[in-house]
Amino acid sequence: MTKKIAVIDGNSLMHRAYHAVPPTMNAPDGTPTNAVFGFLAMLLKFIDMAKPDALVCAFDAGKPAFRMEALEQYKAQRPPMDDELRVQFPIMEELLGAMNVPVVKVKGWEGDDILGTIAARDEELGFETLLVTGDKDAYQLASGATRIVTTKKGVTDIAIYGPDQVEERYGVTPAQFPDFLGLMGDSSDNIPGVPGIGAKGAAKLLQRFGTMEGIYEHLSELKGKQLENLRDNEDAAFLSRDIATIVRDLDFALDLEDAAFPSFSAEAVEEAFGRYQLTSHLARVLKLVGAEATRAEARLVWEPVVAGEAAGPLVADALRAGETVGVALMEPEQVSLFDNAVTGAFATSRGTAVLAGDEALALFAQVVREGSFAVLDAKEAVHRVFPADTSLPALVTADDLAAMDAFDLGLAGYVLNSSVSAYTLEALMEAHGGGALPEAEGDEARAAVAAAAARHLVEPLRAAMEREGSLKAYRDIDLPLVGVLATMERTGAAIDVERLAEMGRAAQAELDELSQRIFELAGEPFNIDSPKQLARILFEVLGLTPLKKNQRGYSTDASVLKELAKESELPALVLRYREQAKLKSTYLDALPRMRAGDGRVHTRFNETVTTTGRLSSSDPNLQNIPVRTELGRRIRACFVPLEPGELFLSADYSQIELRLLAHLSGDEHLVAAFNSGADFHASTAARVFGLPVEEVTPELRSRAKAVNFGIVYGQQAYGLSQSLDIPFGEAKEMIDRYFEAYPGVRSYLDDTVARAAEDGFAETMFGRKRHIPELKARNAQQRGFGERTAMNHPMQGSAADIIKMAMNEVDRRLREEGLAAKLMIQVHDELDFSVPEGEVERLAALVREVMENVVSLAVPLDVDVSWGPTWAEAH
DNA sequence: TCAACCTGCAA
DNA sequence: TATTGCAGGTTGA
């Protein structure tokens, strides 16, 4: 079989990869690796498809001397290469070296010329050549033995061109290709060519006359503008052809007869790939030589595995010695009949204890009470011995949780990078543990490996947090909150099921009636819940005018329906239908279904979901219970205190994000407005519209309020004009006047974006960072998004830090002072409690004091506290 | 059964 | 072309 040699145009592939792969990945030292990653993805895909016998990679070296001599402006207007790309070339060369792929660089020449030279030598030797490049100049090199490989779109969609495919696509043969390029020119390389002649024209001329010489010999057969252009630009045409002609006889040493791929050592590749955290490609590369990654197994010791009676003492000894025990509590692979069929593993310096069921849970409870332990998700683990259902017994107390010494690996991963979609042991091992999590067979082995990994990860994660300055957010804010949240989740929230059911029946009756009237107006029955069917009725049957599009057709969202309601009754009815249907399905029907054994709903407060540091709530989400409409407030009235004789108490920060804007920006007028204690939005209106406060109308105040809120999210004039339903120009003027009135805000926001662009992250007052790779995006829309999140993160995130600190302190004080009140719910700037009637004044004072004083700012933190028989009345 | 999409609830 | 979330319904694979 003929030897098949693949030659890669390294510069071309690096550029493609750099632009195709988002800049979200880095080497441990922070150097971007997206181009390297994409390069490897393309290379591996190509190797799989083409199975070359040997691989060579060419890179440009120095300036292309010969072409610059011939044409001074050659590639002159090309912008200089991004630094983020430039720094990836040495990495790529290093990796190619580890893969034993020869790298050829010839000073003064471009990759194409190296490709051409190698192809020529191959043809001499009788070898077959594949040239991998994105540069169309290379098509001139196609021949019976040489084919061109290009990526079509993305990174891994590949097309292969032989002479026939070149001719089919461009209408010229490879031999004619330099003439073709010479006639066309190339604006991106500053090659002039002949004006007025593009790809079509050049191909047509060459089909007729064969070569550039042929064309100029037969100029008399041409006419008009084309003749004129060809005659006036003869020199440019030939010069352009010279420049586009690839040189095929460069002088460099390369042993093609002995070249072979793959011929690398697995150790060298593993070492090099590991150094740049490119583990996702590592396995595929190693597989080429039939090797597997040695991974971290060597350093991850979980044996001996100790079961039975020796397990408890092994762990107890480790705890006594002050060791941090790695813990994993896992569901069995086979679903069991028993609820507590958990497998528990406890990794110590002298082996791993593995137990099942109640024995595992009892040992874990002991670890929680007495020891120091590390686990992927401490709150979830704790729920095994402190269930989120008060009708189930708990093996530890809330006080135990407040005192426990846990290391939460997921939380550590979160404060280091809050934009990861899930924090798994696998990912943490890849990123911080020095290699992949070893695979294991069977429940016991899996649990043992996971426990050992948990123990193994403590030090690298602690070191990373220390290095990144994230230790404070972890140790002082997020970690202590784990016990508080576990306790809140166990406490749950009480709902009035009778009332929900009654409202559900009423809503159903209203929905039936609305449906009837909607069908009558439509002239036929249809599924009102289906936006598609509704769109057909609105825009085809009724002939209303579509106002907005979405991916699947015309939008029927509330803003559209509201507009259409001005001229037709049906959309108005659909709006009412939607409100009822939404509230019924999401709350009235769903909440009673979510009750646990104690009749309460136990939401999960997730601490590692949001990018800003806020909590999120799910199953059910108690952070989006309605409040704005009358029906919404009646749903809130179904949330009641936990016990008879108790009240529902709610405490919320007033405008905390705007106060943080005042504090962070230091704008004197904003700070003064908050310190004066006057109506903040009215005072904004007065400053922005240049009026005395007494003359601010409700309309003006509400506009000022919208601007205030918009500023927090980085809203632009367009967005404001939409939200206030005013002309763009008016919105623009309002925002301009706002920034004139508060010049400190303007400069603060500008500085924040500039710093985030420089650092690659934005951070909160307490060091919680959000990495924002979008700030480096070339796409303006993405970059705009990055800028808005850079502005928003310090406000939204600092507010989240502050209320978390307040929760930790409130929890501590409630236990210290022996109050019976229970913290049930957090809604971003609000804390909700169930409190015995006799304790309510004391709780109110305590909560206010803690929330207002948990941090000291340039402006006061105001807290509104109120209570009543239900959540609705506690406002 | 699942994922993508549309829609809409909260701070 | 205003940030952060969760969830229910429909649709189509």
Side-chain angles (χ1 to χ4, degrees):
Chain A
M1 224 174 76
T2 326
K3 182 165 180 176
K4 198 195 290 180
I5 296 186
V7 192
I8 296 149
D9 182 348
N11 286 67
S12 162
L13 234 63
M14 285 293 278
H15 273 98
R16 288 246 160 163
Y18 177 65
H19 290 103
V21 180
T24 53
M25 50 197 78
N26 301 87
D29 70 353
T31 311
T33 51
N34 60 317
V36 169
F37 184 93
F39 189 115
L40 289 168
M42 287 190 247
L43 183 62
L44 284 163
K45 170 82 177 194
F46 166 71
I47 290 168
D48 274 355
M49 275 181 59
K51 306 223 177 333
D53 302 304
L55 213 55
V56 179
C57 186
F59 283 106
D60 296 354
K63 293 182 176 166
F66 142 78
R67 294 194 174 84
M68 305 234 333
E69 239 165 71
L71 181 65
E72 207 179 317
Q73 81 264 29
Y74 179 64
K75 291 192 175 175
Q77 91 299 8
R78 284 268 180 100
M81 192 190 295
D82 287 2
D83 287 339
E84 286 78 22
L85 174 56
R86 187 195 313 281
V87 294
Q88 299 187 52
F89 276 85
I91 300 177
M92 196 62 238
E93 282 195 41
E94 200 180 325
L95 296 174
L96 288 166
M99 289 160 77
N100 207 22
V101 172
V103 169
V104 180
K105 293 197 273 189
V106 183
K107 195 155 182 16
W109 294 93
E110 296 179 89
D112 276 349
D113 304 307
I114 298 171
L115 265 57
T117 301
I118 296 176
R121 292 185 191 177
D122 280 345
E123 287 178 16
E124 192 85 358
L125 290 162
F127 294 162
E128 193 184 323
T129 314
L130 290 170
L131 302 175
V132 185
T133 177
D135 190 338
K136 65 180 183 310
D137 292 5
Y139 290 124
Q140 63 189 270
L141 300 171
S143 74
T146 304
R147 287 178 296 162
I148 318 301
V149 181
T150 49
T151 55
K152 282 194 292 198
K153 56 173 188 204
V155 239
T156 51
D157 200 354
I158 287 173
I160 298 184
Y161 285 79
D164 294 347
Q165 287 78 32
V166 171
E167 201 170 343
E168 191 180 313
R169 172 155 173 201
Y170 293 97
V172 295
T173 64
Q176 293 172 313
F177 220 84
D179 304 62
F180 175 69
L181 294 167
L183 289 167
M184 278 198 321
D186 185 336
S187 58
S188 72
D189 289 349
N190 251 359
I191 299 177
V194 178
I197 297 190
K200 287 272 157 56
K204 219 167 149 189
L205 287 167
L206 289 168
Q207 279 157 20
R208 194 164 153 200
F209 302 112
T211 62
M212 210 179 261
E213 283 81 1
I215 294 169
Y216 279 96
E217 276 164 28
H218 296 86
L219 268 191
S220 55
E221 294 170 31
L222 297 169
K223 53 186 181 200
K225 198 74 190 165
Q226 193 174 55
L227 169 64
E228 207 178 292
N229 281 332
L230 281 165
R231 199 167 41 209
D232 294 349
N233 294 280
E234 185 168 352
D235 288 348
F238 282 96
L239 174 64
S240 299
R241 184 178 69 177
D242 284 349
I243 289 182
T245 303
I246 293 173
V247 174
R248 311 199 58 181
D249 57 358
L250 296 187
D251 183 21
F252 57 85
L254 179 66
D255 184 349
L256 288 167
E257 297 197 59
D258 282 350
F261 185 87
S263 62
F264 53 81
S265 103
E267 291 73 34
V269 163
E270 191 166 347
E271 203 278 320
F273 278 56
R275 198 157 51 228
Y276 298 104
Q277 274 178 26
L278 293 159
T279 36
S280 57
H281 286 321
L282 178 60
R284 283 179 71 193
V285 175
L286 292 176
K287 213 171 149 198
L288 295 169
V289 289
E292 276 185 34
T294 44
R295 303 194 277 198
E297 293 176 43
R299 271 173 288 159
L300 198 58
V301 183
W302 63 91
E303 288 171 319
V305 172
V306 179
E309 289 184 357
L314 174 72
V315 175
D317 283 350
L319 294 182
R320 253 196 307 281
E323 272 188 43
T324 297
V325 174
V327 173
L329 302 176
M330 305 181 97
E331 295 295 343
E333 268 171 14
Q334 297 284 317
V335 177
S336 159
L337 295 173
F338 305 102
D339 281 339
N340 61 356
V342 57
T343 303
F346 304 82
T348 75
S349 63
R350 292 166 56 205
T352 306
V354 179
L355 294 164
D358 289 341
E359 290 182 341
L361 296 184
L363 185 54
F364 181 56
Q366 186 190 343
V367 170
V368 169
R369 280 193 305 262
E370 300 174 8
S372 158
F373 66 102
V375 68
L376 178 64
D377 182 338
K379 181 157 65 65
E380 191 205 53
V382 154
H383 274 316
R384 300 277 188 178
V385 292
F386 191 75
D389 177 345
T390 56
S391 68
L392 300 177
L395 302 184
V396 301
T397 66
D399 287 333
D400 292 331
L401 298 186
M404 78 181 170
D405 178 11
F407 189 98
D408 190 315
L409 309 165
L411 271 184
Y414 177 67
V415 299
L416 285 165
N417 180 3
S418 59
S419 32
V420 173
S421 63
Y423 296 86
T424 62
L425 274 182
E426 286 80 2
L428 290 169
M429 282 297 291
E430 294 278 4
H432 302 277
L437 183 74
E439 282 172 26
E441 286 288 321
D443 294 331
E444 285 81 9
R446 280 191 309 126
V449 169
R455 183 168 175 274
H456 169 84
L457 279 165
V458 171
E459 274 320 308
L461 283 169
R462 192 194 302 280
M465 288 191 287
E466 186 125 39
R467 192 170 63 241
E468 300 285 323
S470 308
L471 207 49
K472 203 168 147 48
Y474 169 78
R475 198 185 45 212
D476 299 344
I477 300 179
D478 285 2
L479 185 64
L481 194 63
V482 169
V484 179
L485 294 176
T487 305
M488 288 169 69
E489 291 177 3
R490 177 168 170 85
T491 299
I495 55 176
D496 183 339
V497 183
E498 292 303 318
R499 195 161 175 181
L500 285 167
E502 172 52 37
M503 286 174 63
R505 284 191 289 276
Q508 189 56 58
E510 166 121 30
L511 283 170
D512 290 344
E513 197 186 315
L514 285 166
S515 301
Q516 279 313 311
R517 291 172 58 196
I518 288 168
F519 296 157
E520 275 164 31
L521 289 169
E524 58 182 289
F526 65 99
N527 185 348
I528 308 170
D529 292 331
S530 161
K532 190 178 163 187
Q533 294 183 39
L534 177 60
R536 190 183 70 83
I537 296 295
L538 290 171
F539 308 121
E540 288 178 30
V541 176
L542 297 185
L544 295 168
T545 317
L547 300 172
K548 205 157 102 176
K549 282 191 169 193
N550 57 36
Q551 283 188 46
R552 291 193 175 172
Y554 294 123
S555 170
T556 64
D557 70 18
S559 70
V560 171
L561 294 179
K562 210 172 155 192
E563 194 59 34
L564 296 176
K566 290 178 184 168
E567 48 184 296
S568 174
E569 194 186 348
L570 186 139
L573 296 176
V574 172
L575 277 169
R576 282 174 56 196
Y577 176 95
R578 282 246 176 103
E579 188 196 356
Q580 298 280 334
K582 166 82 180 178
L583 297 181
K584 179 170 188 288
S585 65
T586 309
Y587 305 104
L588 300 176
D589 294 348
L591 285 172
R593 279 203 308 267
M594 311 283 297
R595 280 173 299 160
D598 56 5
R600 300 178 186 168
V601 292
H602 298 266
T603 187
R604 290 161 47 188
F605 287 109
N606 202 304
E607 226 184 328
T608 60
V609 166
T610 73
T611 46
T612 55
R614 277 187 175 184
L615 301 179
S616 83
S617 157
S618 61
D619 308 298
N621 180 359
L622 293 189
Q623 292 180 323
N624 73 342
I625 302 301
V627 70
R628 290 175 193 182
T629 64
E630 172 54 29
L631 178 57
R633 280 188 292 276
R634 287 202 277 133
I635 291 173
R636 263 195 188 212
C638 298
F639 283 81
V640 296
L642 296 172
E643 306 287 346
E646 294 192 336
L647 291 168
F648 199 110
L649 180 142
S650 184
D652 69 288
Y653 281 114
S654 161
Q655 298 149 339
I656 184 167
E657 290 178 4
L658 282 169
R659 287 168 196 266
L660 281 164
L661 176 62
H663 173 82
L664 292 167
S665 71
D667 181 276
E668 54 170 322
H669 304 294
L670 213 50
V671 170
F674 278 119
N675 280 315
S676 76
D679 178 334
F680 177 71
H681 298 306
S683 121
T684 299
R687 267 197 80 72
V688 169
F689 299 112
L691 298 167
V693 179
E694 313 82 68
E695 288 174 32
V696 171
T697 62
E699 166 67 15
L700 290 180
R701 181 183 182 280
S702 124
R703 285 187 177 204
K705 187 174 171 181
V707 181
N708 276 327
F709 279 107
I711 293 294
V712 173
Y713 303 129
Q715 189 182 45
Q716 315 277 319
Y718 176 87
L720 183 67
S721 73
Q722 291 296 299
S723 66
L724 283 182
D725 199 18
I726 58 173
F728 177 87
E730 247 175 81
K732 169 113 175 44
E733 201 190 321
M734 272 175 66
I735 291 179
D736 288 346
R737 291 172 73 158
Y738 185 95
F739 284 129
E740 270 171 46
Y742 302 112
V745 173
R746 161 97 288 168
S747 56
Y748 165 71
L749 292 175
D750 289 347
D751 289 351
T752 302
V753 170
R755 259 193 63 187
E758 190 151 314
D759 299 340
F761 59 81
E763 64 182 329
T764 68
M765 285 174 63
F766 305 94
R768 185 186 305 281
K769 291 173 187 159
R770 172 175 181 177
H771 290 262
I772 311 180
E774 291 90 345
L775 284 168
K776 290 198 195 315
R778 283 157 297 282
N779 178 313
Q781 195 177 335
Q782 276 184 42
R783 211 168 47 244
F785 173 76
E787 288 164 2
R788 291 193 296 277
T789 54
M791 291 187 254
N792 177 256
H793 178 82
M795 293 179 264
Q796 190 177 125
S798 299
D801 290 339
I802 289 171
I803 195 161
K804 281 174 166 177
M805 292 189 287
M807 291 167 75
N808 286 331
E809 180 64 7
V810 163
D811 177 77
R812 194 185 68 76
R813 293 276 298 273
L814 287 182
R815 277 180 294 100
E816 183 182 274
E817 299 182 22
L819 291 177
K822 297 231 169 11
L823 178 55
M824 293 185 292
I825 301 172
Q826 186 251 42
V827 195
H828 309 308
D829 62 2
E830 163 185 336
L831 298 179
D832 297 296
F833 300 82
S834 186
V835 53
E837 279 170 25
E839 221 176 65
V840 73
E841 302 280 355
R842 232 179 116 195
L843 177 71
L846 183 155
V847 170
R848 179 190 299 280
E849 197 219 316
V850 169
M851 289 175 76
E852 287 186 347
N853 297 302
V854 69
V855 48
S856 166
L857 306 179
V859 296
L861 276 179
D862 273 10
V863 175
D864 295 323
V865 184
S866 54
W867 56 85
T870 76
W871 199 356
E873 282 99 348
H875 267 288

